[in-house]
Each structure stands twice: as C-alpha cells, then as structure tokens.
Amino acid sequence: MEGIEHRIVDVNGIKMHIAEKGEGPVVLLLHGFPELWYSWRHQIVSLASSGYKAVAPDLRGFGDTDAPPSFHSYTSLHIVDDLIALIDFLGLGQVFVVGHDWGATIAWQLCLFRPDRVKALVNLSVHYFPRNPTFKPIQAIRAAYGDDYYVCRIQEPGEIEAEFARVGAETVIKKFHTLRDPSPLMIPKETGFGISPDSPITLPSWLTQEDVDYFAGKFEKRGFTGGLNYYRAFDLTWELTAPWTSAQVKVPVKFIVGDLDMAYHVPGAQEYIHGGAFKRDVPLLEEVIVLEGVAHFTQQESPTEISKHILDFIQKF
C-alpha cells in the first residue's frame, strides 16, 4: 500500500476520488459492489512495479467520490461519462481497462460506447450481457428468481438500506465477501441476510480485519445507497441504450471468472461464455479463463494470479 497516492478530481460535474501509483501506460481499474478502489490494492502495486500507472477510482456513489441522491443519475451512460471525463482529465487518448462485478458491466459499456478510448480490456466475473430488446431487465430477473432475489429486494429505495443498517456495515462487508455458494443470493424480507451483528463470520485467509475495517468505515460514512442505485437504474439504462441493441464490443478482451462465482452460475451463463455466443458479441475476445475453487471477489481472493493474467494480456499491446 506504500506509495499509493490519492487525490480528488473534478469530472463530469462530480468530485471523484482516485488512487494511483506508478509510471507508464495507464491501467484503469473499476471496482464493483460493495467495494471501493481498495479492492485493487494488490493489482495497483503489481502494475506499478511492472512499468504501468494504475488508476483506481471510487466510482460514482462510492467511498470518497460524490454520490448524487437520485438513482436516475446512475445509468451506465452516467458512469461511462465519468470515466471518459477522467481519461480526458489525465490527458490520455487510450487506456487499458480492468473491471470486476459492476465495474465489469461498466467496462463492457465503456468499450461498447467508446472503443476508441480503450486499448484492451480484462474483465472479471461478469460476462457481456447483450441488450434484450424484448424484456426490461428487472422484469426478466423477477420472473426468473422471484421477489426475494437480491437485485429485486434492492429496487425499493430505503428498504435494503434499513436491512443493512440493522446488521451494520462491517457485517454486510463480511457477508458479501465470504459468500462461496454459487446459487442465487436471496434476501427474504422475513429474515434478511439471516444473520445478526453478533453472529461471528470467519474471514478467509485473503481478507484481513484491517481490510474489512477500511471498507466498512467508508460505507458507514457514505452509506450504501450510491452503490445500490446502480441496480435501481437497470431499467433506465435499458431504455437509454436501445441504439446499441445487437452492437458488438470491438476491443481486445480477456475474461476471467471463478468456478464458484455466482455470476458464472446464472442460468445460461456457461452456455453463453463457452458456446460461441460470447465470441459472436465480442469478436476480439482472445481468452476465457475459469479459475478453479475461486468465488466472486476474484482479484482479492487470487491477487497474484489475477495480476499475472492482467499483465500477460496487456503486455501484448
């Protein structure tokens, strides 16, 4: 962590916190939920020691970056706008991009909207989801999983925030980061997470109490609403991205997923990834890596391996 520099920059009408280290070609690292720039702590150091400049923002709504109150300000277009403004602020034409979870979703959209700004992409966990012109996302998700599915529970503003407040930010961070069951995540209204603040959660070897404290401290201060608003803007993003229906992602890509990741076990995901449709939609897809025994928080759980995969790919360009 030594030598990582932090600053607040003005981009797209918001103040954004970025962490950065190193000199050389820029690698933009995009985190997911419930995460922060800190999720990339290992990769920042690795990239910086390998001749690259790592730049890891707290995305809109997270950590020390501004969090507009309305979910209408959290469509993929808003987040991509922020990132293009950040790339411009850094004075760059193109960057390498690495995304995980929501960061991966935003990275796909960034490459779809502005492929001219991305040299190459390494995405973790979430494969590309082409826009389905027939169904709105929440309608389709609710039909597939029911009202207790976590994405559906998030939709009502304030409801899941109250559940998170009941158990506390530390417990929420521990609960998410220790999930290893790849079956759909349910948060029933009656039982919530099914845990209390007093229920001990054993941390894995790759996550320390110090790590948890950093995440929890930021979410205690900022709240979870900004991050939850990404889910609440699903349908609005769908409406606004109609012009890109059937468009291909034309950026060189490497995709990495753990075999215990929930995202890898979404119905149809493995068929899409391995059956040819992924390559159809992302024609410059060069590699698909499935990590054995690895769950969702890939870059934290297997930091050395992920850093090597990133470097092996971007060094080609």
Side-chain angles (χ1 to χ4, degrees):
M1 300 292 290
E2 190 174 330
I4 297 178
E5 298 179 349
H6 299 265
R7 56 176 166 156
I8 303 293
V9 300
D10 290 309
V11 296
N12 195 32
I14 65 170
K15 294 188 180 300
M16 172 179 278
H17 165 248
I18 61 173
E20 51 194 341
K21 182 179 172 70
E23 297 294 335
V26 168
V27 184
L28 188 60
L29 302 163
L30 309 178
H31 68 79
F33 178 89
E35 300 180 85
L36 303 163
W37 74 268
Y38 189 84
S39 302
W40 300 106
R41 57 199 178 279
H42 306 294
Q43 286 72 38
I44 291 171
V45 173
S46 174
L47 288 163
S49 66
S50 302
Y52 292 88
K53 180 181 179 70
V55 178
D58 283 336
L59 294 177
R60 173 182 292 237
F62 289 90
D64 294 320
T65 293
D66 283 351
S70 170
F71 75 84
H72 293 89
S73 297
Y74 290 83
T75 70
S76 290
L77 283 87
H78 287 86
I79 315 305
V80 169
D81 285 351
D82 295 346
L83 298 176
I84 293 295
L86 175 59
I87 295 168
D88 288 343
F89 176 87
L90 296 171
L92 303 169
Q94 287 189 317
V95 295
F96 293 106
V97 177
V98 184
H100 170 256
D101 186 76
W102 260 110
T105 297
I106 298 303
W108 290 122
Q109 300 291 302
L110 171 62
C111 293
L112 187 65
F113 303 154
R114 293 300 305 271
D116 57 308
R117 308 305 297 271
V118 181
K119 291 181 188 176
L121 168 67
V122 179
N123 249 355
L124 314 179
S125 181
V126 178
H127 66 73
Y128 180 61
F129 281 84
R131 183 181 183 276
N132 184 334
T134 308
F135 297 104
K136 287 189 174 183
I138 298 304
Q139 175 189 359
I141 291 169
R142 200 179 298 277
Y145 297 107
D147 292 338
D148 286 342
Y149 187 56
Y150 80 103
V151 174
C152 300
R153 283 293 317 282
I154 285 169
Q155 293 306 307
E156 182 62 35
E159 186 175 286
I160 204 71
E161 286 95 329
E163 170 68 16
F164 286 175
R166 185 183 68 81
V167 299
E170 179 179 345
T171 299
V172 172
I173 295 300
K174 286 181 176 179
K175 176 66 175 180
F176 272 100
H177 280 76
T178 56
L179 286 171
R180 298 192 70 78
D181 181 354
S183 59
L185 174 59
M186 300 296 180
I187 310 178
K189 283 190 176 183
E190 300 77 22
T191 59
F193 269 132
I195 53 175
S196 74
D198 301 322
S199 303
I201 299 176
T202 302
L203 296 180
S205 59
W206 50 267
L207 189 71
T208 68
Q209 184 60 46
E210 183 181 7
D211 297 332
V212 170
D213 290 344
Y214 186 88
F215 283 117
K218 294 298 182 182
F219 280 102
E220 286 283 5
K221 179 181 176 183
R222 166 67 69 195
F224 288 94
T225 298
L228 295 168
N229 278 339
Y230 285 61
Y231 298 91
R232 292 166 184 156
F234 254 140
D235 282 353
L236 183 55
T237 290
W238 179 86
E239 293 175 13
L240 295 173
T241 53
W244 289 274
T245 302
S246 301
Q248 294 175 310
V249 174
K250 294 184 177 178
V251 166
V253 173
K254 180 176 190 172
F255 178 70
I256 306 168
V257 65
D259 66 352
L260 297 178
D261 193 327
M262 286 186 296
Y264 190 55
H265 292 267
V266 169
Q270 293 177 38
E271 292 81 1
Y272 177 81
I273 292 168
H274 303 294
F278 196 8
K279 180 70 172 176
R280 176 200 67 211
D281 295 331
V282 187
L284 300 182
L285 177 67
E286 295 190 17
E287 292 182 76
V288 172
I289 306 294
V290 181
L291 302 176
E292 293 185 11
V294 176
H296 182 64
F297 293 92
T298 332
Q299 77 272 37
Q300 298 185 73
E301 184 172 342
S302 300
T304 303
E305 192 171 4
I306 292 299
S307 295
K308 184 177 186 304
H309 276 302
I310 293 169
L311 286 165
D312 286 349
F313 190 61
I314 66 175
Q315 285 170 350
K316 297 179 182 180
F317 302 94

